Amino acid sequence: MEVIEITHPIKSSQFVEEDIALAIGFFDGIHIGHQEVLHKMKDVAKEKHLKKAVMTFDPHPSVVLNPEKKRTTYLTPISDKIDAIEKLNIDYCFVVNFSSTFADVTADEFINQYFIQNHVKAVIAGYDFSFGKYGKGNMTSLKENDYPFSVHVVSKQTLHQDHAKISTTDIRSCLELGDIESCNLALGRPYSIKGMIVQGEKRGRTIGFPTANVQPSDDYVLPRKGVYAVKLLIKSKNKMYDGVCNVGVKPTFHDPEAYQISIEVNIFDFEESIYGEKVEVYWYHFIRPEQKFDGIDSLVKQISKDKEEAKRLLSLENG
C-alpha cells in the first residue's frame, strides 16, 4: 500500500495516476460501521475495475474546529489506523493534514481537487459524512449533482434495538465507563493498546504479583481506572498470554492527584524478563473500579480474587 501524506494545498505530484474507488472518513477505531464503508469500497472497486483507496485525516477535525472539546486521544492513532487499512489489501491511503488552511477549503474546491483531479471514479462514505468549509458538502449533495464519479452511501449501522448508530463517540464513552463488552461488540474485535514494557516501581513482585508496566506507544483512549481481564501479545514471541491488568494511579501507595496513570499487567504463569519488548494489550472484561485499601494484606487478598476472576472470564473467551 502506498501512503500519501497531503498538506493543503494538494500538489499535482500527490495525485494518483490510476482510476480509484475512494472510501473517505476519519475512521477512528475502524469499527463495524467503518468496516462496512471499506467493504463497500472494495466491492465497488472490483465491480468497476478500479484501484482501492482510502482517505483519512490527521489530527481529528475538532482540534481545529472545536478547541474546547478537541479530541487528542484515539481508539486507533494514525499509525495503527494505517496498519489496519493496509491489512485490507488497499492500494492507496491518503492522510490529509486537517489544518486551519484545509478547514477553509470549500466543498466545491474539495470535490475538484481531491476527487476529480485525483482520478476518483467512485466515492464511498457513511450517510453522515460531510466535507468542505462549514461542512457544507455532504453525501446527499454529491448524489444530486452530475459529477464524473459515482457516489455510494453506506446507511446507518446499528447493533441494538434502540437503533442508535455505531459511533466512535459512543465507543469512547463505553471505555470511559468500563463497558468493555459493548466497546468490543461495536469494534467487532477486542480493543487494544500497543506499547513497550518499561521499568516500574517493582512493588508488585514484593507482594507476590509481579507486573509488566506497559508504556503506550501513542495517544490512546485509556479505559476507566480499574482492574481488567486482558490478553498480552509479546511481539517478538508472537505469543499471547492471559493476565489481569490494573489501570490507574495505585491509590493505596500514591496521591491520586499527583501520580500519573499506569497500565500494569500481571501475566499468568510467566516469570521472564521482558523489559524493552513491544507488546499489545487486548481488553476483554472490566472486573472492578480502582480503590484504595487500608493495608497491604487487604490489597493482596483482593488481587488474588481479581486474578481468579480474570482467569475465569478468560477461560470463557478461550473456550
Side-chain angles (χ1 to χ4, degrees):
M1 181 178 77
E2 182 178 353
V3 178
I4 302 172
E5 297 184 0
I6 298 172
T7 300
H8 191 78
I10 188 171
K11 301 174 181 61
S12 58
S13 60
Q14 295 171 319
F15 294 143
V16 172
E17 295 302 318
E18 301 175 284
D19 291 345
I20 59 175
L22 181 71
I24 185 167
F26 193 75
F27 299 124
D28 187 23
I30 313 188
H31 56 59
I32 287 176
H34 298 148
Q35 292 168 35
E36 191 65 26
V37 173
L38 296 168
H39 292 154
K40 179 65 176 177
M41 179 271 290
K42 294 179 74 173
D43 289 343
V44 171
K46 183 177 181 180
E47 176 187 342
K48 296 178 176 289
H49 305 289
L50 303 170
K51 290 293 185 177
K52 303 181 290 293
V54 174
M55 182 175 288
T56 189
F57 307 91
D58 184 59
H60 191 271
S62 64
V63 171
V64 174
L65 303 178
N66 191 4
E68 292 183 359
K69 296 182 179 180
K70 61 181 178 292
R71 185 182 296 178
T72 56
T73 57
Y74 302 99
L75 303 175
T76 47
I78 189 63
S79 60
D80 289 9
K81 192 190 303 184
I82 291 171
D83 287 346
I85 290 170
E86 185 169 24
K87 289 176 182 177
L88 296 173
N89 193 30
I90 304 301
D91 298 299
Y92 299 100
C93 179
F94 301 96
V95 180
V96 181
N97 174 228
F98 202 101
S99 62
S100 297
T101 303
F102 178 73
D104 276 337
V105 175
T106 67
D108 287 341
E109 289 171 337
F110 184 85
I111 291 167
N112 181 56
Q113 297 174 31
Y114 287 80
F115 291 165
I116 297 174
Q117 293 186 49
N118 203 21
H119 290 254
V120 175
K121 299 303 177 184
V123 174
I124 303 92
Y127 72 100
D128 57 351
F129 177 73
S130 61
F131 58 92
K133 191 172 184 178
Y134 305 128
K136 288 190 173 181
N138 55 58
M139 298 306 287
T140 300
S141 62
L142 277 184
K143 285 183 73 73
E144 291 174 348
N145 286 276
D146 187 21
Y147 293 113
F149 51 79
S150 59
V151 179
H152 307 264
V153 181
V154 175
S155 60
K156 178 173 69 174
Q157 303 297 302
T158 64
L159 285 175
H160 304 295
Q161 293 180 350
D162 61 6
H163 301 298
K165 76 166 186 174
I166 298 169
S167 73
T168 298
T169 300
D170 285 347
I171 294 171
R172 291 171 64 96
S173 295
C174 287
L175 285 171
E176 290 163 3
L177 292 170
D179 186 359
I180 299 298
E181 289 84 353
S182 293
C183 164
N184 292 349
L185 194 62
L187 288 173
R189 67 185 184 281
Y191 182 59
S192 67
I193 291 176
K194 294 178 181 177
M196 179 183 293
I197 303 300
V198 298
Q199 295 272 4
E201 297 177 316
K202 300 181 181 178
R203 194 186 304 273
R205 70 182 59 218
T206 67
I207 60 174
F209 296 96
T211 58
N213 192 335
V214 180
Q215 178 66 49
S217 60
D218 218 315
D219 295 323
Y220 291 92
V221 179
L222 296 184
R224 173 186 179 183
K225 286 187 286 188
V227 178
Y228 295 83
V230 302
K231 291 178 181 285
L232 182 81
L233 173 66
I234 300 177
K235 299 288 185 76
S236 65
K237 297 175 179 290
N238 193 29
K239 187 174 179 181
M240 196 86 77
Y241 298 86
D242 291 351
V244 61
C245 175
N246 185 81
V247 179
V249 296
K250 295 177 287 189
T252 304
F253 303 105
H254 301 287
D255 177 358
E257 301 299 323
Y259 193 74
Q260 186 175 2
I261 291 177
S262 64
I263 300 173
E264 298 190 13
V265 182
N266 173 247
I267 309 170
F268 303 152
D269 305 315
F270 188 86
E271 297 180 355
E272 300 176 38
S273 175
I274 52 173
Y275 293 126
E277 293 280 1
K278 292 181 179 180
V279 299
E280 189 163 1
V281 182
Y282 293 84
W283 308 80
Y284 283 87
H285 297 283
F286 177 74
I287 295 175
R288 64 170 176 85
E290 185 175 52
Q291 64 188 95
K292 182 176 181 177
F293 294 90
D294 56 12
I296 298 298
D297 290 343
S298 56
L299 171 63
V300 169
K301 185 177 180 180
Q302 183 60 54
I303 293 176
S304 297
K305 291 180 180 178
D306 296 338
K307 185 171 182 177
E308 291 309 308
E309 178 63 2
K311 286 183 175 181
R312 185 188 71 80
L313 291 168
L314 292 172
S315 68
L316 300 175
E317 298 290 342
N318 297 334

